[in-house]
Amino acid sequence: MIKTTTLEVKGMHCASCAVNVKKAIESSDGVIDANVNIATNKATITYDPSVVNLEVIFKNVEKIGYSLSMEMENQDSEYKKAKRRIITSLIIMIPTFILMLLDMTKLLMIPYMDFIDILIAFVMIFIVGFEVIKRAFKSLIHGNTNMDLLIALGTLASLSTGIMKIIGFQVTNFSYVGAMIMFFHLMGKFLEETAKGRASFAIRGLLELGAKTARIIVDGQEVDVNASDLAVGDVMAVRPGEKIPTDGEIVEGAASIDESMATGESIPVNKNIGDPVIGGTINETGLIKVKATKVGADTFLSQLIKLVEEAQGSKVPVQEFADRVTTYFVPTVLIISALTFAFWFFFPEAGKSIALWASKFLPWINPSLTRFSMAIFASVATLVIACPCALGLATPTALMVGTGLGARNGILIRNGESIQTMKDVNTIVFDKTGTLTEGKPKVTDVIDSGKQKMHFQYLLHLKITPIIRLQKLLLPLPMKIIFIY
């Protein structure tokens, strides 16, 4: 029997990481399909349990420096870590930046500025940005390349120039550039986590639709319990205005149930003994007793959440192209960076002519630098400017936002491919009994006996009661009321 499971991926921070994890999962015999989403840090795996078990897949992923987990981490934890890092970076970088400007403009001669630059760079690279350096070398040890490796090489190369200058080499000190590289990288990670957090609000919104507690009947007495502790067969008492804690069947009483959360229909549905009810829907009128038939992951709401999560974790066809590009991107950038260093070092005159020309437009370029300094400057710039995080994150983040907005507005999207297909759709045909509703019944027109039309709108609160009251108010008058649901 084929199974599909969604797991948390730990240690993944860029598009290249996602490609490496996907390859490791698919290398296991018995894995039919694998989707690894960098935006959600999740892997959706379809496999044959008679051929391979999850333990084997876990080991294959661990071999390349990542790990899989059955327990889903709170998205807020990564956001909070990224926020702490960027706040620490700002506290360090802003005062130092002011000192550097004062020193460069000769407004204030600061002694031992080279030492200060090295110290700041060391703190930013090896303390604040330690996780980036650790991931970079961890991936290198396992024979993989990722975006962290580009950042690590760029920052360490910059720091090394400061150390070489203090030792006595004729080279410009670019230590502070290394600190700035790490700062902007951490800023980018913070913005990424912020975007992920906003996109995950849809799942949180769906979770909030469910009831937190339930009132079950035990030996004739009502006992309050957590909704998560319910078991199949428990009988729950649900009063008017309360949410039905889980999917079940009415065993006593009758009520009007607001099922707009599940069906989109705003008019409450009358339910009697033997009728099924959905967890998360609202009892409008009447005390009822409901026998739980589904709990936990089997409920309608849980399946709804699972559907949205799977859609967010899926890939659109255009993302396959981005994955292929990122597979070769990092090695290509490393080669280009090495060639850039060689050009500026072995052909200094050609490089100097380029620098003289560029300095007319870019005032921060100094053509008088030594050839070694210019070679370091150009190769580091190549490393850090070529980080294609946006290439790997744009599509999955857009997918998360799109499916999340759809879920909040009652539109459920089964997979990412459907979203890409929608761009070619120019006609939608609905097959539905009655009318398509907005979920807000209202009086649109009032026509008197003289056939003089008076336009007004009266929004109702998804209940039948206000409509009845409105009818009692207006029916004695010689008018005809038109209701549009």
Side-chain angles (χ1 to χ4, degrees), residues 4-8 42-45 69-70 72 309-310:
T4 299
T5 185
T6 300
L7 304 170
E8 181 87 12
K42 292 178 183 178
T44 302
I45 307 170
S69 174
M70 299 290 290
M72 300 298 177
E309 286 180 334
E310 288 178 353

Side-chain angles (χ1 to χ4, degrees), residues 19-244:
V19 174
N20 293 333
V21 173
K22 177 179 170 67
K23 287 181 178 178
I25 294 172
E26 291 179 338
S27 68
S28 307
D29 293 333
V31 174
I32 299 169
D33 186 40
N35 277 324
V36 181
N37 194 320
I38 178 62
T40 58
N41 288 332
K42 292 178 183 178
T44 302
I45 307 170
T46 302
Y47 66 101
D48 186 348
S50 64
V51 179
V52 66
N53 56 39
L54 289 178
E55 186 178 350
V56 173
I57 298 174
F58 280 29
K59 288 181 179 178
N60 286 339
V61 173
E62 288 170 1
K63 287 178 183 177
I64 63 168
Y66 305 93
S67 62
L68 299 175
S69 174
M70 299 290 290
E71 297 181 4
M72 300 298 177
E73 286 189 359
N74 190 342
Q75 189 74 49
D76 285 341
S77 62
E78 288 298 321
Y79 170 78
K80 289 177 180 177
K81 289 178 185 177
K83 186 177 180 179
R84 282 197 300 269
R85 292 191 188 106
I86 199 61
I87 291 174
T88 305
S89 300
L90 286 169
I91 293 171
I92 295 171
M93 294 296 289
I94 291 175
T96 316
F97 182 71
I98 294 171
L99 289 177
M100 188 185 70
L101 285 178
L102 292 173
D103 185 70
M104 289 176 62
T105 56
K106 309 302 181 185
L107 293 175
L108 178 65
M109 299 303 293
I110 301 173
Y112 306 109
M113 194 63 198
D114 285 335
F115 289 95
I116 294 175
D117 285 347
I118 292 172
L119 177 62
I120 294 301
F122 184 88
V123 172
M124 283 296 300
I125 295 169
F126 290 105
I127 298 179
V128 182
F130 175 72
E131 289 296 324
V132 178
I133 303 300
K134 184 176 76 171
R135 290 195 303 264
F137 282 95
K138 191 175 181 180
S139 69
L140 200 59
I141 290 170
H142 289 91
N144 300 312
T145 56
N146 58 23
M147 308 307 160
D148 289 328
L149 183 60
L150 298 181
I151 300 299
L153 291 176
T155 54
L156 293 176
S158 300
L159 177 61
S160 66
T161 61
I163 297 172
M164 285 189 290
K165 184 177 181 181
I166 291 176
I167 293 172
F169 285 91
Q170 294 298 313
V171 62
T172 303
N173 182 1
F174 291 127
S175 297
Y176 192 76
V177 173
M180 291 184 68
I181 290 169
M182 184 58 73
F183 168 73
F184 284 117
H185 178 67
L186 295 176
M187 175 64 79
K189 298 303 296 182
F190 171 69
L191 295 176
E192 288 173 15
E193 293 300 331
T194 302
K196 291 178 186 179
R198 288 175 179 172
S200 65
F201 283 162
I203 301 297
R204 298 179 192 178
L206 290 174
L207 288 170
E208 289 172 359
L209 292 176
K212 302 297 185 291
T213 61
R215 190 180 296 106
I216 61 174
I217 309 298
V218 179
D219 298 328
Q221 301 294 320
E222 294 183 359
V223 179
D224 290 334
V225 298
N226 290 328
S228 58
D229 295 331
L230 287 170
V232 173
D234 284 344
V235 177
M236 305 166 287
V238 185
R239 292 182 171 82
E242 295 180 341
K243 288 183 178 179
I244 297 173

